[in-house]
Amino acid sequence: MSNGPPDLEIRLERMTTAPHDAREAVKHLLDEDAESDFWQNALLATSEVVTHALTHGSGDACLSAWYSASTGWLRVEVAIGGAEMPSTDGVRSESGMDLLRLAVLLNVPEAWGIERTPFGRVVWFEVQHQPTER
C-alpha cells in the first residue's frame, strides 16, 4: 500500500506524448532495475493506465508512484477528472489495451483497479517483483 508521499509525482498534459513521458519518469524511478523483463512489463502497464485515463477522463492527469527497491514493490496511480466511471469489464480504447488484458500481462489480476474520488477517478496498479535465485 502507498504509505506516505509518493516517490514520484508528475502532471501529464493531454498530449500524445503523455504515455511516453509517464513511462520515462517511472523508468527513472526504477533506476537500474528498469531493464528486467518484469519491469519492462510494468513500464508498459504505466503507458496503458495513462492512455486509459486520458482517453476516458477529462483534463490533464496526475501520475503518482511509490517504489521500494528492497521489497520489489511498485504502485502507480493516475488521477484524472471526470464524473463518469467506466466499466472494468473489458474497458478498451482504440489507443490502448483493455484493463483486463493489462492485469493478465502483469500476472497479478487482483492488483489493479479504478476508484472514484471526489474530483474524478484514479486508475492504479501494483506489482511486486520476486527475483528468482540462481
Side-chain angles (χ1 to χ4, degrees):
M1 296 301 285
S2 51
N3 294 333
D7 299 309
L8 169 68
E9 192 167 48
I10 60 169
R11 182 172 169 250
L12 298 167
E13 295 182 15
R14 184 174 287 283
M15 298 175 65
T16 58
T17 59
H20 174 266
D21 297 343
R23 190 173 53 249
E24 288 300 310
V26 173
K27 183 178 181 179
H28 182 72
L29 177 65
L30 295 171
D31 198 27
E32 69 231 16
D33 293 337
E35 297 307 316
S36 77
D37 287 343
F38 181 86
W39 291 120
Q40 289 296 310
N41 284 343
L43 294 172
L44 173 60
T46 299
S47 295
E48 292 300 328
V49 295
V50 168
T51 298
H52 175 84
L54 291 174
T55 301
H56 297 285
S58 61
D60 296 339
C62 179
L63 179 140
S64 301
W66 294 259
Y67 177 59
S68 170
S70 63
T71 63
W73 176 82
L74 172 71
R75 179 180 174 100
V76 173
E77 297 180 354
V78 180
I80 194 145
E84 195 172 315
M85 284 289 284
S87 164
T88 57
D89 296 329
V91 172
R92 182 177 179 75
S93 77
E94 292 177 10
S95 56
M97 67 175 58
D98 67 48
L99 292 179
L100 294 176
R101 263 196 278 161
L102 173 62
V104 170
L105 171 71
L106 293 173
N107 198 26
V108 283
E110 71 282 357
W112 66 274
I114 303 171
E115 297 173 2
R116 186 179 303 276
T117 71
F119 306 103
R121 64 182 170 274
V122 173
V123 182
W124 61 272
F125 72 89
E126 291 180 359
V127 292
Q128 186 169 18
H129 183 35
Q130 304 289 334
T132 56
E133 294 184 31
R134 296 178 189 195

